[in-house]
Amino acid sequence: MAFDFKKEYKEYYQPKKKPEIINIPSFNFIAVRGEGNPNEENGMYQQAIGVLYAIAYTLKMSYKTDYKIEGFYEYVVPPLEGFWWQEDIEGVDFFHKETFHWISVIRLPDFISKKDFEWAVEKASIKKKMDCSKAEFFTFEEGLCVQMMHQGSFDEEGETVKIMNRYLQEKGYRNDFTKSRLHHEIYLSDVRKVVPEKWKTVIRHPVCKIDKNNESMSKNNV
């Protein structure tokens, strides 16, 4: 049976519908950066998604080609994720999507090296007849975070964020957004097949502990 990240690492992909504090280690991703409204038809975001999946499935199916990846085992392509931010805004403003900056990513199994990634970019570009050169091999450690499962449309995420923020206040933490610590979403539902009220999205925010003198002490120096 193919290795499924969502099932094997439930602490990262299947949080409860209530907030929890978690420390996220370093992972490797396929990443494409961009900006603008993700709902724009044939826009930058939609094109980025196409590039991510082209590379992801090229790597997944590599064992059927002449290219062999050391340590390879069959796996399910992990879910699409996104890091989001807007200039001069802490967190995100869900109602002004045109101002979004984003890094769209798909996690890579640990056995995939940068060399393997570069092979897949070239292979996917030829096979899919698309330019995959904007993709990058992205290594990121989120560190200390609060996360929660959101069920519903993306426009309703603000209500879940409010619950997360109240939890932080009760537990002595605060949000720790910086240029490299961002609002993070993991998409567990196929929006083409599931009605919006049943969409499941992991929402994750960087946090730090507040000490007794009201000074924050971050466990993540990104």
Side-chain angles (χ1 to χ4, degrees):
M1 183 178 293
F3 186 92
D4 190 333
F5 288 82
K6 297 189 302 297
K7 294 179 179 179
E8 298 296 332
Y9 298 111
K10 291 183 179 180
E11 66 271 32
Y12 303 138
Y13 299 101
Q14 300 291 336
K16 298 178 181 178
K17 293 181 183 178
K18 60 181 182 180
E20 62 184 8
I21 300 295
I22 185 170
N23 197 58
I24 309 296
S26 178
F27 298 132
N28 295 327
F29 300 91
I30 310 165
V32 178
R33 300 170 188 263
E35 58 186 49
N37 191 333
N39 297 324
E40 180 184 351
E41 188 173 353
N42 296 319
M44 187 180 295
Y45 183 78
Q46 301 298 331
Q47 294 176 31
I49 302 306
V51 169
L52 289 175
Y53 278 109
I55 297 170
Y57 277 95
T58 298
L59 288 165
K60 170 184 167 64
M61 303 306 295
S62 63
Y63 70 98
K64 292 189 175 182
T65 72
D66 292 334
Y67 186 87
K68 302 304 176 183
I69 297 176
E70 185 177 354
F72 182 92
Y73 52 78
E74 292 190 51
Y75 63 96
V76 177
V77 171
L80 178 69
E81 308 182 36
F83 297 94
W84 301 83
W85 74 99
Q86 292 150 307
E87 298 297 335
D88 302 318
I89 294 177
E90 182 175 290
V92 296
D93 178 352
F94 298 100
F95 298 102
H96 289 88
K97 297 180 176 62
E98 72 280 358
T99 64
F100 274 142
H101 297 263
W102 40 263
I103 308 172
S104 192
V105 304
I106 293 178
R107 183 177 168 182
L108 290 170
D110 292 340
F111 58 75
I112 291 178
S113 67
K114 188 173 183 180
K115 177 184 176 182
D116 301 325
F117 166 81
E118 291 171 347
W119 167 82
V121 169
E122 182 178 356
K123 186 76 172 180
S125 296
I126 297 171
K127 185 175 181 180
K128 299 295 183 180
K129 297 181 179 179
M130 61 192 302
D131 182 8
C132 295
S133 63
K134 290 184 178 181
E136 61 184 274
F137 187 87
F138 179 57
T139 301
F140 186 60
E141 181 177 353
E142 282 187 89
L144 194 66
C145 295
V146 61
Q147 67 178 13
M148 178 177 170
M149 182 71 77
H150 169 75
Q151 182 168 321
S153 73
F154 302 134
D155 289 340
E156 296 171 342
E157 287 184 14
E159 294 304 311
T160 296
V161 170
K162 288 179 182 178
I163 296 172
M164 293 165 63
N165 288 341
R166 287 197 295 268
Y167 175 82
L168 293 180
Q169 292 178 349
E170 294 169 359
K171 300 298 182 181
Y173 293 85
R174 70 165 179 84
N175 287 309
D176 188 32
F177 293 109
T178 68
K179 290 184 178 180
S180 58
R181 305 196 76 203
L182 306 167
H183 173 88
H184 185 182
E185 300 179 359
I186 304 176
Y187 310 106
L188 303 179
S189 302
D190 186 337
V191 298
R192 301 167 299 178
K193 301 177 181 179
V194 181
V195 293
E197 55 265 30
K198 292 186 178 181
W199 291 351
K200 289 185 177 181
T201 307
V202 179
I203 299 179
R204 187 180 294 160
H205 284 173
V207 301
C208 58
K209 187 73 174 176
I210 301 174
D211 71 9
K212 294 179 180 180
N213 295 319
N214 244 0
E215 295 178 352
S216 60
M217 298 183 297
S218 177
K219 291 185 180 180
N220 185 297
N221 297 317
V222 180

